[in-house]
């Protein structure tokens, strides 16, 4: 007996809904089953490849079926790898994504310090979530600043301190206006005080 289109669509939608959050909104319905059949390691590699500009999803899925541990270099052929910088000198989205990925371990540790009872796997998933993209970038930039030679000058340190104070004042203003933030901060391990 052949499957009718509505039944097939329901099956494909279930496959799409079963995908990790970092893939769910990026995979078409027709590719959902193939991606859902990949191992979690292969799905993660596919998500990273998409972050870095993967254009040929079907070929990447086929390669990951054959080799679930395929590297990003294998998944992104030379012609599919975006340049590091745009014409205006800014980092490309893929370069920002590489920085973003490098900050995940630091953000995972930070999340666990704020929520000590959270399992490491859950903290890693949160650290990788799209909602945390801005924070990952900030953490990476802070780290690169602390290890840079210019940071050793008093002028840069004082200016950075001023920037952090302004940021803290803005954050405190937001927290003071939102009781839910205050309650969550009191319950966390972040060390916040009224």
């Amino acid at each position: 007996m052949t499957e009718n289109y509505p039944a097939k669509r329901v099956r494909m939608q279930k496959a799409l809904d079963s995908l990790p959050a970092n893939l769910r909104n990026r995979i078409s319905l027709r590719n959902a089953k193939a991606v859902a059949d990949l191992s979690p390691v292969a799905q993660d590699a596919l998500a990273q490849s998409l972050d870095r500009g993967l254009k040929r999803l079907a070929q990447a899925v086929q390669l990951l079926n054959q080799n679930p541990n395929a590297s990003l270099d294998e998944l992104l052929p030379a012609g599919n790898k975006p340049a590091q910088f745009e014409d205006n000198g800014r980092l490309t989205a893929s370069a920002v994504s590489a920085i973003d990925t490098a900050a995940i371990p630091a953000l995972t540790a930070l999340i666990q310090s704020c929520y000590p009872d959270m399992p490491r796997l859950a903290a890693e998933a949160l650290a990788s979530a799209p909602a945390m993209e801005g924070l990952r970038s900030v953490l990476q930039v802070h780290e690169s600043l602390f290890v840079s030679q210019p940071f050793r000058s008093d002028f840069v340190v004082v200016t950075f301190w001023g920037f952090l104070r302004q940021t803290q004042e803005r954050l405190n203003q937001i927290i003071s206006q939102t009781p839910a933030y205050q309650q969550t901060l009191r319950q966390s391990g972040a060390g916040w005080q009224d």
Side-chain angles (χ1 to χ4, degrees):
M1 183 171 158
T2 61
E3 182 179 38
N4 63 22
Y5 181 73
K8 183 176 182 179
R9 184 171 171 76
V10 167
R11 182 176 49 80
M12 291 187 301
Q13 186 63 49
K14 284 182 182 179
L16 187 64
D17 292 342
S18 73
L19 294 176
N22 62 350
L23 285 173
R24 196 171 301 132
N25 295 330
R26 302 166 83 184
I27 303 298
S28 67
L29 201 54
R30 72 170 185 245
N31 291 315
K33 175 80 170 94
V35 174
D37 289 343
L38 294 173
S39 71
V41 170
Q43 288 176 346
D44 186 50
L46 182 62
Q48 289 181 38
S49 297
L50 288 167
D51 291 343
R52 295 185 185 192
L54 178 70
K55 296 175 187 162
R56 298 182 178 178
L57 181 71
Q59 289 177 344
V61 170
Q62 185 178 11
L63 177 62
L64 287 166
N65 271 324
Q66 296 167 357
N67 178 10
N69 296 316
S71 69
L72 291 179
D73 284 338
E74 292 172 291
L75 292 170
L76 295 170
N80 197 26
K81 292 179 189 168
Q84 286 289 96
F85 293 95
E86 296 173 352
D87 291 338
N88 62 8
R90 291 187 172 184
L91 286 173
T92 63
S94 63
V96 170
S97 178
I99 290 170
D100 198 44
T101 302
I104 290 174
L107 185 53
T108 298
L110 180 60
I111 290 169
Q112 285 196 292
S113 73
C114 294
Y115 298 93
D117 295 335
M118 184 177 290
R120 179 149 188 88
L121 196 57
E124 285 175 352
L126 284 171
S128 302
M132 299 297 263
E133 180 180 350
L135 189 52
R136 287 190 300 268
S137 297
V138 169
L139 287 173
Q140 186 66 32
V141 170
H142 275 198
E143 184 58 32
S144 66
L145 179 64
F146 276 101
V147 299
S148 72
Q149 190 59 38
F151 188 68
R152 301 295 175 226
S153 76
D154 57 354
F155 180 78
V156 174
V157 169
V158 170
T159 304
F160 184 57
W161 173 254
F163 167 74
L164 290 178
R165 291 286 301 179
Q166 286 179 349
T167 301
Q168 184 178 17
E169 289 170 10
R170 288 177 69 188
L171 188 56
N172 283 338
Q173 184 178 16
I174 292 168
I175 292 167
S176 70
Q177 296 170 353
T178 313
Y181 294 164
Q182 295 169 27
Q183 181 179 357
T184 303
L185 280 162
R186 282 186 199 103
Q187 295 171 350
S188 75
W192 182 78
Q193 298 173 5
D194 292 298

